[in-house]
Amino acid sequence: PLKTYEVYEEGLEKGYFCKDKEGKEFVGAVWPGKVHFPDVLNKDARKWFGSKYKYLLDQGIEGFWNDMNEPAIFYSEKNLNQVMTLLAGAAMLGIVFNQGCFIFGVGLTSPGEASIITTTMPIWVMLLAAVILKEPITLKKCGGIVLGASGALLLVMTGGNSGLAGDNPTLGDILVLSAQLSYALYLTFYKNFIKKYSVVTLMKWMFTFASVAIIPVSIPVLAHTDWGNISPDEAGGIAYVVIGATFLAYIFVMIGQKNLRPTLVGMYNYVQPIVASLVGVYLGLDHFTPLKLGAVALIFGGVYLVTISKAAKTTTDPTA
């Protein structure tokens, strides 16, 4: 607030504004910008603020419209800083480290090994949820994860070996595993935080922070890309990855985070091999066998067991 307004200066001098727990004038934001709020619980402050209408009444004004007279606040400066820090952390764990480690890791190891490592993610979610959110580790939950992992591994192992191998499989495997740990930590640590804000707000700020982190290291690659020789099929593939596999996927995951437990959200990771198999069959690159149908049954059976497993009675908000 600027010290150029007589009413403000007087209220500040007499201590008539609301204070925070540290005894400093509380600064909030509404549509005019940053403001102080009169302390209506203070009798002297109420009398002082009401007296400001006398001058207007003396001028012949007969009525007032007090805009923003309802209890409302857009944000406080201190809270905004905390929220932005948490959003930046969510962007790093859920997007930058998760996607970055996985993409670089797959390039260094084989697709088969990377697929197998991704089946560990629900396990990490269950363990982290037990530590952070005090979610109980039950037999149904463990059994569901084992069934789901078995089904996913069956689909991966029966999908054939591409014969591709990276230059550094060990480092690649570590990066892929880091991606699973990062996303598992995001699902558990930010469970209650995600519920507080709209999907649009979360997507806007998380992808903004992720872009700020990724664009600087991507500039050399972007500068040396021959954009003129990108075919329509390649452009369509890029658009699908950006819009479908990233933007829409994150929206749907966030909706799931708002309504489901982290362990159950992680369990749906096992559905990815099913989707890959269906796409392969559709494109004529794969075919269904009784073994694959059994793997699908194991995955959905595992998801069902985790769904009906016991949840924590209360959850602790680690981001509060």
Side-chain angles (χ1 to χ4, degrees):
L2 298 175
K3 294 186 177 181
T4 55
Y5 179 38
E6 181 182 349
V7 175
Y8 167 77
E9 293 178 356
E10 184 181 355
L12 188 65
E13 179 183 351
K14 295 183 177 180
Y16 287 157
F17 296 130
C18 293
K19 295 179 173 56
D20 60 21
K21 62 182 180 181
E22 297 172 353
K24 300 178 181 178
E25 278 72 19
F26 177 77
V27 179
V30 289
W31 69 262
K34 296 179 181 179
V35 298
H36 289 332
F37 298 96
D39 185 0
V40 296
L41 297 181
N42 182 329
K43 181 180 178 181
D44 293 334
R46 291 199 303 270
K47 184 178 180 181
W48 164 77
F49 194 72
S51 69
K52 298 305 173 183
Y53 289 86
K54 184 178 184 304
Y55 171 79
L56 299 173
L57 291 170
D58 291 344
Q59 303 306 309
I61 294 176
E62 297 180 352
F64 300 93
W65 178 6
N66 288 325
D67 195 13
M68 289 298 295
N69 63 328
E70 76 280 6
I73 179 173
F74 293 174
Y75 63 84
S76 69
E77 200 167 54
K78 185 179 296 184
N79 178 260
L80 181 64
N81 292 335
Q82 181 188 31
V83 170
M84 287 300 170
T85 300
L86 289 169
L87 284 169
M92 295 301 105
L93 290 175
I95 300 176
V96 177
F97 295 151
N98 172 41
Q99 297 289 334
C101 288
F102 185 79
I103 290 171
F104 284 109
V106 170
L108 295 172
T109 187
S110 68
E113 288 186 24
S115 298
I116 292 172
I117 293 173
T118 58
T119 63
T120 65
M121 198 269 283
I123 299 174
W124 300 119
V125 174
M126 180 181 69
L127 295 175
L128 289 170
V131 174
I132 297 174
L133 301 174
K134 310 304 178 185
E135 284 280 352
I137 298 179
T138 64
L139 289 177
K140 287 181 180 178
K141 194 175 293 183
C142 292
I145 288 177
V146 170
L147 283 178
S150 300
L153 287 171
L154 273 177
L155 287 177
V156 171
M157 302 302 289
T158 58
N161 194 335
S162 65
L164 299 175
D167 297 330
N168 194 334
T170 301
L171 177 59
D173 290 347
I174 292 174
L175 287 173
V176 173
L177 181 60
S178 298
Q180 308 314 304
L181 286 169
S182 176
Y183 198 63
L185 186 58
Y186 162 72
L187 289 179
T188 51
F189 186 77
Y190 285 93
K191 174 184 182 294
N192 295 313
F193 179 78
I194 294 296
K195 288 183 176 181
K196 294 180 180 179
Y197 303 96
S198 71
V199 171
V200 174
T201 298
L202 292 166
M203 290 287 290
K204 176 180 69 177
W205 287 109
M206 284 180 61
F207 275 88
T208 297
F209 283 122
S211 298
V212 170
I214 290 294
I215 288 177
V217 298
S218 303
I219 289 177
V221 177
L222 294 173
H224 289 87
T225 299
D226 189 359
W227 297 100
N229 286 329
I230 295 179
S231 67
D233 287 343
E234 291 171 336
I238 293 173
Y240 171 77
V241 170
V242 173
I243 298 173
T246 304
F247 183 74
L248 293 178
Y250 270 90
I251 287 179
F252 294 148
V253 168
M254 285 181 183
I255 293 173
Q257 285 178 275
K258 288 177 175 290
N259 298 280
L260 302 172
R261 286 174 286 147
T263 308
L264 184 55
V265 175
M267 275 296 295
Y268 282 99
N269 191 58
Y270 291 148
V271 178
Q272 293 185 45
I274 298 177
V275 176
S277 294
L278 291 173
V279 173
V281 171
Y282 176 76
L283 296 175
L285 303 175
D286 200 355
H287 60 279
F288 266 123
T289 64
L291 187 61
K292 289 184 178 180
L293 290 174
V296 172
L298 286 174
I299 291 173
F300 282 110
V303 171
Y304 174 74
L305 280 179
V306 173
T307 301
I308 63 174
S309 64
K310 182 180 179 182
K313 294 181 179 179
T314 57
T315 57
T316 302
D317 184 356
T319 63

